[in-house]
Amino acid sequence: MTQLTLGKALNAGLRQAMRDDDKVVLMGEDIGKLGGVFRITDGLLDEFGAKRVIDTPLAESGIVGTAVGLAFRGYRPVIEIQFDGFIYPGFDQIVSQVAKLHYRTQGRVKMPITIRVPWAGGIGAAEHHSESPEAYFVHTAGLRVIAVSNPQDAYRCLRQAIASDDPVLFFEPKRLYHHKGEVDLDAPLADAPPMGLAHVVRSGSDATLITYGAMVRTALDAAEAAEDEGISLEVIDLRSLSPVDYETVSASVRRTGRVVVAHEASREAGVAAEVIASITEFCFEYLEAAPVRVTGHDIPYPPAKLEKFHLPDLDRILDAVDRVLDRPNSVSDLRGVQL
């Protein structure tokens, strides 16, 4: 095992994927000589050359459109959207072409495109640099959507995404780029669990806490704090947002009978709403209380000095746990909706 930051793990995953398959090409703004804004592609230009690590113009629609053409010709393009909020100019290409071409051609054309997205908040960035757009893509049939939370998954799931014949939106929590963890660089990819499986990162018996991305660390902190009060929380890292591993989720809910789902994206029509609707459909007779969402607010992402009030934190998660356990002193607004 090797200690790597999440950013270095992604770099290692890209390097290994390019060594394994010379049809893997990288494209994006400033990814070559600069190595990317977050240095995720650092050193790859020197090793693989400018024909495989391609600096592009500032034109997301053009980047995605070029990737579609490369996929038609048998390549496996990996494109970087420099910041999450920059993905919208390429949105039409992603949902109208990348997601649908395999279906429209009755399976004759594959779209093995991986779209890497530095994602979400917590770094004090400027406007358009701290978005959480995952629900748009979860709603789009034909796309896989992955959100990693640790260096091991970053390394392994990125390689799996690149090797997949499906198009993958690969969300990387930018505020965790410098967080370290153990990574097994030598384990065969064929032996790794599929990227579509959820991961129970902490076992518990009183309630199930479901989340993904950077919120996994917050959820684990909340579970540790709850343990001091005698509450046992099971924490699930979804990893795959489309498709969701409802087998793992349902098995947990049937044991605990109580559910909290947390994410930093806005509440309205977010991933938490879909997960809770499905849990209610699959596990209704096992539920001891109504599931609760803990999310970002339904506002444009706030200025850096206010983002701590927008991002779900330990206290908001513990309040939700109190609500599903019917404990006193939970905080609600005038409509009875979680603050």
Side-chain angles (χ1 to χ4, degrees):
M1 303 293 280
T2 304
Q3 280 280 331
L4 293 176
T5 64
L6 190 144
K8 291 294 185 183
L10 291 166
N11 180 274
L14 290 171
R15 177 174 283 104
Q16 190 59 54
M18 296 182 77
R19 289 173 177 172
D20 290 343
D21 187 347
D22 61 9
K23 292 294 187 180
V24 176
V25 296
L26 311 186
M27 295 191 301
E29 299 161 5
D30 298 319
I31 69 163
K33 187 174 181 180
L34 180 65
V37 169
F38 297 101
R39 305 299 187 266
I40 305 302
T41 53
D42 191 38
L44 299 181
L45 175 65
D46 293 337
E47 181 170 348
F48 298 102
K51 290 186 177 181
R52 294 187 66 194
V53 182
I54 303 165
D55 274 323
T56 67
L58 308 183
E60 285 74 19
S61 181
I63 296 169
V64 180
T66 301
V68 170
L70 285 167
F72 259 104
R73 301 293 293 180
Y75 288 88
R76 292 185 175 274
V78 182
I79 66 177
E80 178 183 293
I81 304 297
Q82 192 173 72
F83 280 90
D84 36 31
F86 299 174
I87 201 168
Y88 302 114
F91 186 82
D92 178 47
Q93 293 280 4
I94 295 170
V95 302
S96 299
Q97 306 299 328
V98 173
K100 294 181 171 64
L101 276 165
H102 185 70
Y103 179 80
R104 286 211 313 255
T105 62
Q106 297 182 328
R108 291 191 295 273
V109 173
K110 294 181 173 62
M111 285 285 115
I113 299 172
T114 302
I115 302 173
R116 292 183 42 247
V117 187
W119 156 71
I123 65 168
E127 188 178 13
H128 307 307
H129 290 66
S130 296
E131 304 288 323
S132 294
E134 60 267 26
Y136 296 117
F137 303 105
V138 168
H139 183 71
T140 303
L143 299 174
R144 286 183 176 269
V145 182
I146 302 295
V148 294
S149 67
N150 61 78
Q152 178 65 74
D153 282 349
Y155 173 74
R156 181 169 56 207
C157 292
L158 182 56
R159 290 182 60 197
Q160 290 173 325
I162 295 169
S164 171
D165 285 335
D166 296 324
V168 180
L169 269 291
F170 196 88
F171 286 99
E172 304 164 5
K174 62 175 84 78
R175 77 172 181 261
L176 297 187
Y177 274 146
H178 298 294
H179 285 261
K180 288 186 177 181
E182 289 191 337
V183 180
D184 187 348
L185 298 173
D186 300 320
L189 197 61
D191 296 340
M195 63 181 175
L197 291 184
H199 181 208
V200 178
V201 293
R202 180 183 175 116
S203 297
S205 58
D206 292 328
T208 300
L209 178 51
I210 301 168
T211 189
Y212 55 89
M215 285 298 301
V216 172
R217 296 177 66 90
T218 308
L220 288 170
D221 290 342
E224 186 173 342
E227 188 175 34
D228 293 339
E229 299 184 27
I231 299 170
S232 175
L233 296 181
E234 181 147 296
V235 180
I236 295 180
D237 178 359
L238 286 178
R239 298 201 305 175
S240 176
L241 309 185
S242 181
V244 172
D245 175 13
Y246 282 114
E247 184 174 346
T248 297
V249 169
S250 296
S252 176
V253 173
R254 287 169 180 161
R255 287 195 305 273
T256 67
R258 293 173 172 84
V259 182
V260 174
V261 185
H263 59 60
E264 356 183 328
S266 297
R267 176 188 180 89
E268 188 74 15
V271 171
E274 175 60 30
V275 170
I276 286 175
S278 296
I279 287 171
T280 304
E281 182 178 354
F282 301 149
C283 305
F284 182 77
E285 65 272 27
Y286 294 90
L287 291 173
E288 301 290 343
V292 175
R293 288 174 284 178
V294 184
T295 70
H297 302 299
D298 289 327
I299 58 173
Y301 199 88
K305 65 181 179 180
L306 297 177
E307 67 180 356
K308 66 180 179 180
F309 301 108
H310 176 71
L311 297 174
D313 59 13
L314 182 146
D315 288 334
R316 288 176 61 195
I317 290 175
L318 291 179
D319 175 69
V321 171
D322 285 343
R323 291 175 63 193
V324 298
L325 293 174
D326 198 24
R327 286 160 56 89
N329 302 320
S330 63
V331 179
S332 301
D333 69 10
L334 295 177
R335 297 171 300 162
V337 175
Q338 171 84 19
L339 287 173

